[in-house]
Amino acid sequence: MQPQIILLKEGTENSQGKPQLISNINACQAVVDAVRTTLGPRGMDKLIVDNNGKSTISNDGATIMKLLDIVHPAAKTLVDIAKSQDAEVGDGTTSVVLLAGEFLKQIKPFVEEGVHPRIIIKAFRKAMQLTIEKINTLAVKIEKKNAEEHRQLLEKCAATALSSKLVSQQKGFFSKMVVDAVLLLDELLPLNMIGIKKVPGGALEDSLLVAGVAFKKTFSYAGFEMQPKKYNNPKIALLNIELELKAERDNAEVRVENVKEYQRIVDAEWKILYEKLDMIHKSGAQVVLSKLPIGDVATQYFADRDMFCAGRVPEEDLKRTMKACGGSVMSTAHDLNDSVLGRCEFFEEKQIGGERYNIFTGCPNAKTCTIVLRGGAEQFMEESERSLHDAIMIVRRTIKNDAVVAGGGAIEMELSKLLRDYSRTIAGKEQLLIGAIAKALEVIPRQLCDNAGFDATNILNKLRQKHAQGHCWYGVDINKEDISDNFEMCVWEPAVVKINALTAACEAACLVLSVDETIKNPKSGGDAPQGPPMGRGMGRPM
């Protein structure tokens, strides 16, 4: 007998082979079950409480996945695909996790029977290639020539994305707002140029879209009440300068012999401040925004000269103002001239709910906009913001890639039929594997039915029949508890969402399948016991 040679440090756990793969698949199933019920217009929400006691109510797959503290290494891949789907497309995060989980679930029996993972992965790659080609041939291109039609199309896509969210009751209202917001942006459609501000109170319908910049009235000193609240065609100075007196002890040690010298130091300080203020006034700016604080002396000075000022403006708001109104952020008051001042048609400070907002409208380079959300509870508004984010992303995607497919499980059923037909034309193990993948694709329409409380088997049978007859856009109709042509019902999704979801789900499944051994290193720091050592307490007998 050869002595066994152990190379791994003591305490290392390693598990390998088939049981390991099965346990990885089971772990992924558990994660999928957590988000399974959030899919679709009748999806449920999840309430997640983290260890600090902060609770989040959400229906967005990626948000839930981020908040679940997942320890299992294989199941973490599902979190990653949800995040990547969120970053890349913005919507379809639940679908991606569901698909990946279902792929693994359908493949599990083959793994248990000992089919080599490489063969399974090859089948996956083949199936994905076929489905993506099919989506590209099926997808309906949109004519951009007619602005009115193009706009309606974008609104339909936004409404489809919002229909599975908390704000689905007001989806007509919000889809218009989202499309307006995205169409205000420039060619590159930068996301950070759409600001979303939340103001508690009021009804959802009180939300408004500002074609320009709006931000909360920042910290202000005495004297701001005397400043005018409205300007027509003001010039705007954007600064990164502190306009207040510093307390002496902060800066340096100054040794003085007598009171006169001290007085001169103080005077110098005031002089510097007044010089700055004077320059700003002479530049002709009427609205002064600064990233750093503007003190009470300055506030008072501006108020006397009918100028408006706001200090401590958050950086992103300052940047958006710069983008909209032109001008640039100055870090010195010395060369303020017309070329660095921004302009807009109208500036006003107005009360929205309990907050005061500074609103700039009619901006010359308005490639930015702000959505001011109203609503009841804080969590409700946060969820509305996440829903709008998904819809905004979808509209951006639809503008860039102008191909759409029908949602509501229609495209999945069509792909499932394609794979099933294809699997019958090939021999060998791949036939069974591709058949299993075809079955896995049906999870989306099935879950839509389950979440709405319909009889899934019944509806899926009807769908299979319709797709076999060549009606490729038939999907689940949530309202009638039946099936319908979802393309006519305007349940549309950008094709890129589906392509991305399938590719990511397939990659994740292949990744989990290609792992056959997990090695866990023991906690670093040796075998030191956690916490204080068990010793004799005070006066305890030995």
Side-chain angles (χ1 to χ4, degrees):
M1 287 283 286
Q2 287 289 317
Q4 203 177 5
I5 298 172
I6 297 176
L7 293 173
L8 297 174
K9 187 172 161 195
E10 194 180 354
T12 306
E13 303 167 28
N14 75 328
S15 42
Q16 64 194 75
K18 204 191 300 178
Q20 172 58 28
L21 190 46
I22 300 290
S23 98
N24 283 352
I25 293 178
N26 291 344
C28 291
Q29 299 291 242
V31 175
V32 174
D33 286 341
V35 292
R36 185 182 287 278
T37 50
T38 65
L39 184 77
R42 297 278 185 273
M44 300 294 178
D45 295 356
K46 303 286 179 208
L47 182 113
I48 301 168
V49 185
D50 63 10
N51 43 16
N52 303 332
K54 180 180 181 292
S55 60
T56 309
I57 300 177
S58 180
N59 180 309
D60 177 39
T63 311
I64 298 171
M65 298 296 271
K66 277 182 202 143
L67 293 172
L68 289 177
D69 206 355
I70 295 176
V71 187
H72 196 285
K76 275 195 179 138
T77 53
L78 293 183
V79 182
D80 293 342
I81 57 170
K83 279 186 187 165
S84 84
Q85 178 82 3
D86 196 34
E88 185 60 35
V89 197
D91 196 26
T93 43
T94 312
S95 319
V96 119
V97 177
L98 254 179
L99 280 170
E102 192 65 20
F103 284 155
L104 290 170
K105 181 175 169 186
Q106 297 294 346
I107 291 297
K108 190 169 145 189
F110 296 100
V111 176
E112 283 168 344
E113 283 162 21
V115 179
H116 195 281
R118 278 288 149 218
I119 298 175
I120 300 178
I121 289 173
K122 193 173 156 207
F124 263 121
R125 295 270 150 82
K126 183 72 196 150
M128 278 313 113
Q129 193 187 336
L130 287 166
T131 50
I132 284 162
E133 281 167 12
K134 180 74 171 172
I135 293 181
N136 287 331
T137 51
L138 275 178
V140 178
K141 282 273 186 287
I142 305 142
E143 291 303 320
K144 282 196 180 171
K145 297 185 189 76
N146 185 339
E148 187 54 36
E149 276 180 19
H150 188 221
R151 196 197 146 81
Q152 281 177 345
L153 169 106
L154 294 176
E155 280 183 22
K156 282 166 193 162
C157 286
T160 307
L162 286 172
S163 64
S164 63
K165 303 284 187 240
L166 246 182
V167 290
S168 56
Q169 301 302 311
Q170 288 87 5
K171 68 182 176 191
F173 172 75
F174 278 118
S175 55
K176 270 198 187 60
M177 183 186 279
V178 165
V179 175
D180 284 337
V182 178
L183 291 178
L184 279 171
L185 302 180
D186 57 7
E187 295 298 297
L188 294 168
L189 305 177
L191 247 191
N192 55 354
M193 286 297 143
I194 300 184
I196 298 186
K197 303 283 175 207
K198 303 187 283 278
V199 186
L204 265 178
E205 279 85 15
D206 297 344
S207 306
L208 66 151
L209 175 72
V210 178
V213 189
F215 51 84
K216 202 152 91 183
K217 168 96 182 110
T218 48
F219 187 82
S220 44
Y221 284 94
F224 82 96
E225 293 90 350
M226 301 187 283
Q227 297 176 346
K229 299 287 178 270
K230 290 184 182 171
Y231 290 101
N232 285 323
N233 298 321
K235 293 182 180 173
I236 304 161
L238 305 167
L239 307 174
N240 192 357
I241 313 176
E242 205 164 16
L243 296 174
E244 62 178 345
L245 292 169
K246 276 284 192 209
E248 279 77 12
R249 64 169 182 278
D250 291 356
N251 300 349
E253 180 178 323
V254 184
R255 302 201 171 190
V256 288
E257 300 292 316
N258 55 23
V259 180
K260 276 185 194 154
E261 287 183 12
Y262 177 66
Q263 188 58 45
R264 272 165 51 206
I265 293 170
V266 176
D267 289 348
E269 265 208 300
W270 281 86
K271 192 166 154 238
I272 292 170
L273 178 64
Y274 273 121
E275 264 179 10
K276 280 186 195 170
L277 295 176
D278 196 38
M279 282 174 191
I280 294 172
H281 175 56
K282 280 185 181 147
S283 72
Q286 289 158 302
V287 176
V288 182
L289 302 178
S290 174
K291 198 173 125 182
L292 296 171
I294 292 181
D296 36 12
V297 178
T299 311
Q300 207 73 47
Y301 180 95
F302 288 140
D304 294 343
R305 286 163 184 71
D306 278 349
M307 293 161 69
F308 175 89
C309 69
R312 299 190 187 171
V313 179
E315 188 168 7
E316 57 164 338
D317 289 333
L318 204 59
K319 277 191 175 153
R320 287 197 10 249
T321 312
M322 177 173 99
K323 188 92 170 183
C325 304
S328 48
V329 178
M330 301 297 287
S331 49
T332 159
H334 281 281
D335 46 358
L336 277 177
N337 52 27
D338 265 9
S339 64
V340 296
L341 295 180
R343 283 175 185 64
C344 70
E345 278 170 28
F346 188 60
F347 164 83
E348 71 168 328
E349 176 177 311
K350 87 183 201 196
Q351 190 85 8
I352 301 182
E355 307 284 359
R356 285 188 163 187
Y357 269 71
N358 298 340
I359 298 178
F360 298 85
T361 46
C363 308
N365 334 6
K367 299 291 185 209
T368 170
C369 55
T370 311
I371 294 177
V372 181
L373 271 182
R374 306 297 307 277
E378 188 128 325
Q379 283 143 352
F380 181 75
M381 277 162 51
E382 280 177 14
E383 178 55 20
S384 310
E385 179 183 5
R386 282 192 287 267
S387 312
L388 285 187
H389 169 259
D390 278 13
I392 288 169
M393 292 289 280
I394 283 293
V395 175
R396 284 178 64 211
R397 283 287 160 224
T398 317
I399 290 177
K400 283 186 184 170
N401 314 49
D402 50 355
V404 293
V405 293
I411 187 81
E412 282 84 5
M413 287 306 290
E414 186 59 26
L415 296 175
S416 173
K417 166 182 167 275
L418 165 87
L419 289 181
R420 200 173 280 115
D421 294 349
Y422 173 75
S423 72
R424 297 194 181 122
T425 62
I426 50 176
K429 294 176 188 160
E430 285 196 359
Q431 179 181 8
L432 296 168
L433 294 169
I434 289 185
I437 296 171
K439 191 172 173 203
L441 283 170
E442 290 179 353
V443 68
I444 302 281
R446 165 160 301 168
Q447 199 58 50
L448 285 173
C449 298
D450 285 348
N451 289 351
F454 305 160
D455 179 356
T457 321
N458 191 359
I459 286 183
L460 278 178
N461 287 341
K462 285 186 190 171
L463 280 177
R464 285 194 201 106
Q465 177 203 0
K466 280 290 184 195
H467 282 269
Q469 291 165 359
H471 301 287
C472 68
W473 294 131
Y474 266 77
V476 184
D477 184 343
I478 295 288
N479 302 323
K480 300 202 192 88
E481 192 171 339
D482 197 18
I483 61 174
S484 66
D485 186 328
N486 277 355
F487 210 81
E488 279 174 21
M489 301 283 290
C490 299
V491 181
W492 294 354
E493 299 195 57
V496 66
V497 178
K498 294 296 172 202
I499 293 177
N500 221 3
L502 284 167
T503 332
C506 167
E507 290 302 323
C510 293
L511 196 65
V512 173
L513 284 171
S514 57
V515 174
D516 73 332
E517 180 168 10
T518 307
I519 302 172
K520 262 194 193 159
N521 282 342
K523 294 267 188 299
S524 52
D527 301 326
Q530 302 298 319
M534 290 288 294
R536 272 179 69 219
M538 288 279 291
R540 280 230 324 266
M542 288 294 279

